[in-house]
Amino acid sequence: MYDALLPDLRCPICAGALDLGDARRDAAGEIISGTLHCVCGAVYPIRDGIADFLGPPRPPTIAQLTNELSATAWAYERLWRPFALTLLSGESFPYQRELALVTEWIEATRGGLMVDVACSNGLYARALARAIRHVPGHVVGIDHARPMLREARQRARAAGVRVSYLRASAQALPVASSAASGVTIGGSLNEIGDLDACLREVRRILADDGRFVTMTLLKGQSAVGRTVQHIVSAGGIAFWSPEELLQRFRAAGLYPQRDEQYGIVLFTLACPFSPS
């Protein structure tokens, strides 16, 4: 993680500010190791450039357990993610198209703090970091799975972009209220667990003029699709209709401004205010 994130970090237990101790930085200025201390007594270690707010892994579902495997983290962007949207949308949907949509909708060139929640290998985080290179701002990627975060950090460093990575829960984000100008969640919303708690946290950390962009998989319409989704739902993956999902957004104070659907893939832009 980087010093630029420190003013916006908060203890997920008491929401207190955090002090950095025993920090060791590399030549690029990344904080490689250290500890984050809160006045409530909580101490969070930084190891291999990743701040850990969770402690020992306790994945509650099979889907989240799978993400704790090093093999899953290695394979995610090598074998699955580049082809996923083309397969799920039924049309050509390469990275270039997806990432252009996400960075445009979130208005990344405004800068500020951009938060990629449930970031996996950090695909959206890297795209956001490239988009804000020439404006003041910083990007943080958050995930519960350390193997995913290790892979994400390696990919960010290889790409030459600065991204801070935190191991934390999507339902208890260690970020100050109203600190984020943008929040993204790319696909992981389907396996996030407590959706409503996650959305409330997104609303809490978003500035009043912030923007929230998600890519979500919807309920299948075909018999085969519904059968497959019924099977994988046993592992902790949930699917919603567009109406169900947007209703949950509104209940959390996130008001949809725009959406586009491609097959079962839904992109949504929501903001903390009602459209006029």
Side-chain angles (χ1 to χ4, degrees):
M1 61 173 281
Y2 293 89
D3 288 274
L5 181 62
L6 291 174
D8 294 316
L9 277 182
R10 293 293 184 273
C11 174
I13 298 173
C14 74
L18 298 172
D19 293 322
L20 175 66
D22 304 316
R24 183 172 66 85
R25 296 170 175 83
D26 67 6
E30 184 179 13
I31 303 169
I32 302 300
S33 63
T35 50
L36 295 164
H37 300 260
C38 181
V39 293
C40 75
V43 179
Y44 306 103
I46 304 169
R47 293 190 295 267
D48 301 322
I50 300 167
D52 193 337
F53 292 87
L54 289 180
R58 298 184 184 90
T61 66
I62 295 174
Q64 292 191 15
L65 175 62
T66 301
N67 289 336
E68 295 284 355
L69 303 176
S70 296
T72 304
W74 181 91
Y76 184 70
E77 277 196 39
R78 291 177 174 88
L79 302 180
W80 165 246
R81 195 57 174 81
F83 318 105
L85 291 203
T86 295
L87 176 65
L88 296 168
S89 69
E91 59 184 271
S92 177
F93 224 115
Y95 277 167
Q96 183 178 9
R97 182 181 177 188
E98 177 184 1
L99 299 179
L101 184 154
V102 170
T103 55
E104 175 191 344
W105 284 19
I106 207 168
E107 295 184 353
T109 53
R110 295 182 305 147
L113 179 65
M114 298 281 170
V115 184
D116 186 15
V117 177
C119 66
S120 300
N121 282 180
L123 177 65
Y124 283 7
R126 297 194 305 275
L128 293 170
R130 286 191 291 267
I132 69 168
R133 263 180 166 159
H134 303 298
V135 295
H138 190 63
V139 177
V140 56
I142 299 175
D143 203 279
H144 71 89
R146 176 166 282 275
M148 287 289 189
L149 291 167
R150 283 197 298 262
E151 182 77 20
R153 177 173 172 265
Q154 291 170 4
R155 286 177 174 271
R157 288 168 66 92
V161 294
R162 287 191 169 218
V163 180
S164 292
Y165 285 104
L166 311 178
R167 182 169 174 262
S169 168
Q171 291 80 19
L173 298 171
V175 177
S177 296
S178 304
S181 60
V183 177
T184 58
I185 301 181
S188 299
L189 206 61
N190 295 90
E191 55 187 78
I192 210 73
D194 188 337
L195 173 64
D196 296 325
C198 171
L199 294 175
R200 287 193 298 269
E201 275 294 270
V202 169
R203 174 61 188 93
R204 180 186 66 78
I205 71 170
L206 265 181
D208 288 342
D209 62 348
R211 298 168 78 86
F212 176 42
V213 176
T214 67
M215 184 274 287
T216 316
L217 303 183
L218 300 172
K219 283 182 177 178
Q221 297 301 308
S222 69
V224 172
R226 290 195 298 270
T227 299
V228 171
Q229 290 184 348
H230 177 72
I231 293 170
V232 300
S233 66
I237 302 178
F239 303 91
W240 308 274
S241 70
E243 296 75 21
E244 289 170 334
L245 187 63
L246 299 183
Q247 183 179 12
R248 306 282 280 275
F249 276 39
R250 292 188 188 96
L254 296 163
Y255 298 95
Q257 312 286 307
R258 181 177 179 181
D259 61 77
E260 292 182 7
Q261 183 175 344
Y262 306 91
I264 65 168
V265 178
L266 180 70
F267 288 93
T268 305
L269 164 65
C271 298
F273 54 84
S274 298
S276 56

